[in-house]
Amino acid sequence: MAKETVTITDNSTGKSIEVPLLRGTEGPPVADIGKLYSELGIFTYDPGFTSTASCESKITYIDGENGILRYRGYPVEQLAQKSSHLEVCYLLLHGELPSKNQFETFRKNIAHHSMIHEGLKSFFNGFSRDAHPMAIMVGVVGAMSAFYHDSLDIFNTDHRDLSADRIIAKMTTIAAYSYKYSMGQPFVYPNNDLSYAENFLHMMFSVPAERYEPNPVIADALDKIFILHADHEQNASTSTVRLAGSSQANPFACISSGITALWGPAHGGANEAVIRMLMKIGKPENVPKYVEMAKDKNSTFRLMGFGHRVYKNYDPRAKIIKKIAGDVLKELNIHTPLLEIALKLEEIALNDPYFIEKKLYPNVDFYSGFILQAIGIPLNMFTVIFALGRTPGWISQWMEMIAEPKQKIGRPRQLYVGAPERDYIEMAKR
Ligand code: ACO
């Protein structure tokens, strides 16, 4: 078969080059423009990377037009229904579902690493009590670099595996401690008899004076939330992890940078923003007013939990999470007026030409907050839960990048639109 190419012509010089058209196993073809600058002297311009594939990856596939999400080829719906978060972690990291023995070894490994260095605990005391838990996560996860020197050689596969297990294991402990610190309660050590999600709930809600029995329905819902957030190919936080890692920085520092990128309301911060928005809307009768505001070009207000860069159809994760939210609220016999507002908002927006034309549908964050609220997780911890879920994705993407022989430091170029050369003027003459 003839090699597929795309011809790029610079009409100002009449020069053109043929660049290879690469085909993955699925998804649109990709023009390999790596030689564009050396051969034609031009860069490409793509703010927000809307048409740019930044790497080759075997981990996650998304078809945004058809609402498809698969990890290592497995549909997320099947994983959410039949798998567990730890099994998904193994799948993302190693590429295949584990055998019984492989899973048991992995589970024990993660459990083995669930405690954090006692010295790392003193970091929490340096934060203000009212610090946002995401701020604490950024600091403490980055500080892990200062404690686990025996796994920092990124070119050693054993070190990389050890770091990956440590990060997945310790994230829940660090997250729960950031909550405990803000509550002024003592830290609770992990209990490795519990599952990953149960252990997190135990560290969040146990106190020395009272035993906490994790409710299996809640633990299962949380485990599914983790699965649904586990990876999402080259999103902002994952790209941040890869870019930081491309300079050969250690994995703890890279994951910390991913947490930073996740924090914003346009990304992982949206789950917190959705509940705050629903509280502000206050009652279903106010929904039309807010929908109008979201459409108004003179207003900066957006419907949080709506829209997605890639999904131009219903976010497949939102469908699953909406059902889990219903089940959890029913099980716990919780009736929240916010759910009524959310359902009304969804109904109005999905029938409004503005949202239809722009293909804006609820995303994963629209309903996840209801589950988290029902569990008793405070609003400012919502994005931390997203970070816990996304951790295996970040670390798997980082591992894939380091193992890639073509890997080099990420270094985008720019379209410079600043001042041309000019001479310095002495201050007295300005
Ligand atoms: N409410 C109202 N209008 C919206 C919304 C929204 N939530 N989202 C997009 N639009 C409009 C924009 O105003 C824009 O209109 P225009 O073409 O007339 O200028 C158009 O839809 C396209 O929006 P962009 O911001 O260009 O789309 P982009 O792909 O860059 O942004 C994003 C995607 C950031 C998710 C956006 O839809 C948004 O801000 N949503 C709300 C925040 C949110 O829920 N974030 C979570 C994302 S999912 C995740 O991280 C898990």
Side-chain angles (χ1 to χ4, degrees):
M1 203 171 87
K3 207 169 147 193
E4 292 178 287
T5 56
V6 171
T7 305
I8 300 178
T9 306
D10 176 352
N11 288 328
S12 63
T13 60
K15 276 197 210 162
S16 50
I17 61 163
E18 286 199 6
V19 302
L21 194 63
L22 311 178
R23 287 200 184 263
T25 37
E26 299 196 70
V30 171
D32 174 359
I33 48 118
K35 292 211 167 86
L36 193 62
Y37 179 61
S38 61
E39 297 197 6
L40 222 50
I42 56 179
F43 294 146
T44 52
Y45 180 62
D46 183 19
F49 309 119
T50 53
S51 299
T52 298
S54 61
C55 62
E56 215 177 85
S57 182
K58 293 185 175 134
I59 301 176
T60 290
Y61 174 68
I62 302 176
D63 174 345
E65 299 302 324
N66 294 305
I68 290 171
L69 169 63
R70 297 184 203 128
Y71 302 154
R72 300 282 188 185
Y74 297 101
V76 75
E77 293 82 358
Q78 289 182 23
L79 294 170
Q81 199 193 350
K82 299 179 182 170
S83 185
S84 67
H85 181 59
L86 266 195
E87 190 181 46
V88 168
C89 289
Y90 184 99
L91 173 68
L92 290 171
L93 282 170
H94 301 286
E96 296 298 335
L97 288 169
S99 67
K100 205 167 170 226
N101 284 346
Q102 285 168 328
F103 181 70
E104 203 37 36
T105 309
F106 182 67
R107 193 193 62 73
K108 280 193 183 140
N109 249 343
I110 297 298
H112 173 74
H113 289 293
S114 60
M115 293 202 307
I116 59 170
H117 193 289
E118 287 292 303
L120 201 54
K121 279 164 65 180
S122 58
F123 272 74
F124 289 87
N125 297 323
F127 288 95
S128 159
R129 285 274 175 204
D130 59 359
H132 195 289
M134 283 297 275
I136 301 183
M137 294 296 289
V138 171
V140 179
V141 172
M144 284 170 81
S145 333
F147 287 84
Y148 300 103
H149 298 124
D150 58 341
S151 63
L152 291 185
D153 179 358
I154 62 161
F155 298 112
N156 179 325
T157 48
D158 291 341
H159 280 218
R160 295 206 295 262
D161 289 344
L162 181 54
S163 282
D165 289 355
R166 275 182 171 150
I167 289 169
I168 290 172
K170 294 179 199 304
M171 280 291 270
T172 43
T173 314
I174 295 173
Y177 284 11
S178 67
Y179 169 68
K180 285 295 193 195
Y181 180 74
S182 71
M183 296 293 287
Q185 291 181 2
F187 298 147
V188 174
Y189 284 105
N191 172 355
N192 291 342
D193 294 333
L194 300 173
S195 75
Y196 191 80
E198 284 171 341
N199 211 355
F200 174 63
L201 291 168
H202 155 73
M203 289 188 282
M204 283 281 292
F205 298 121
S206 283
V207 286
E210 265 175 44
R211 226 177 115 78
Y212 169 83
E213 286 292 338
N215 174 331
V217 175
I218 287 182
D220 186 55
L222 190 59
D223 200 68
K224 288 189 167 45
I225 289 186
F226 289 156
I227 293 176
L228 295 174
H229 287 85
D231 194 45
H232 216 228
E233 51 119 305
Q234 309 312 319
N235 56 83
S237 56
T238 304
S239 297
T240 304
V241 170
R242 278 189 178 254
L243 195 57
S246 77
S247 75
Q248 301 172 5
N250 75 70
F252 305 111
C254 297
I255 300 300
S256 170
S257 66
I259 297 171
T260 315
L262 185 76
W263 194 353
H267 193 6
N271 52 12
E272 182 180 335
V274 168
I275 298 292
R276 291 195 194 282
M277 172 188 76
L278 295 175
M279 291 193 304
K280 203 165 147 203
I281 295 176
K283 44 187 180 183
E285 299 86 278
N286 290 341
V287 166
K289 188 175 95 192
Y290 280 87
V291 170
E292 284 313 308
M293 227 158 84
K295 290 156 52 177
D296 182 357
K297 283 286 149 234
N298 298 318
S299 157
T300 53
F301 177 77
R302 281 188 172 199
L303 289 189
M304 299 316 288
F306 260 80
H308 197 276
R309 168 60 62 79
V310 182
Y311 293 120
K312 300 302 172 197
N313 193 322
Y314 212 97
D315 179 340
R317 303 166 300 172
K319 263 187 205 157
I320 305 170
I321 229 154
K322 184 177 178 183
K323 157 105 182 44
I324 304 171
D327 293 348
V328 169
L329 294 180
K330 196 165 160 216
E331 160 75 19
L332 300 179
N333 204 12
I334 292 177
H335 302 278
T336 159
L338 296 188
L339 183 62
E340 214 186 312
I341 299 171
L343 291 170
K344 180 97 185 159
L345 190 61
E346 184 182 0
E347 185 200 316
I348 294 187
L350 291 184
N351 288 300
D352 189 298
Y354 173 94
F355 291 88
I356 295 170
E357 274 157 30
K358 295 188 190 299
K359 299 185 177 172
L360 300 169
Y361 295 89
N363 58 50
V364 67
D365 287 325
F366 194 65
Y367 285 106
S368 62
F370 290 102
I371 307 171
L372 300 179
Q373 260 203 330
I375 294 176
I377 291 179
L379 272 185
N380 65 0
M381 280 292 290
F382 282 16
T383 312
V384 173
I385 303 292
F386 193 150
L388 293 184
R390 184 55 54 84
T391 298
W394 287 332
I395 194 77
S396 305
Q397 299 269 352
W398 175 83
M399 302 258 273
E400 183 179 67
M401 181 195 65
I402 300 293
E404 163 64 61
K406 284 184 281 187
Q407 190 271 325
K408 49 175 148 179
I409 188 166
R411 180 40 173 106
R413 301 307 298 265
Q414 63 174 5
L415 173 66
Y416 177 70
V417 292
E421 186 181 3
R422 47 188 170 162
D423 288 328
Y424 180 82
I425 302 166
E426 300 300 325
M427 200 177 279
K429 293 187 185 157
R430 279 176 229 161

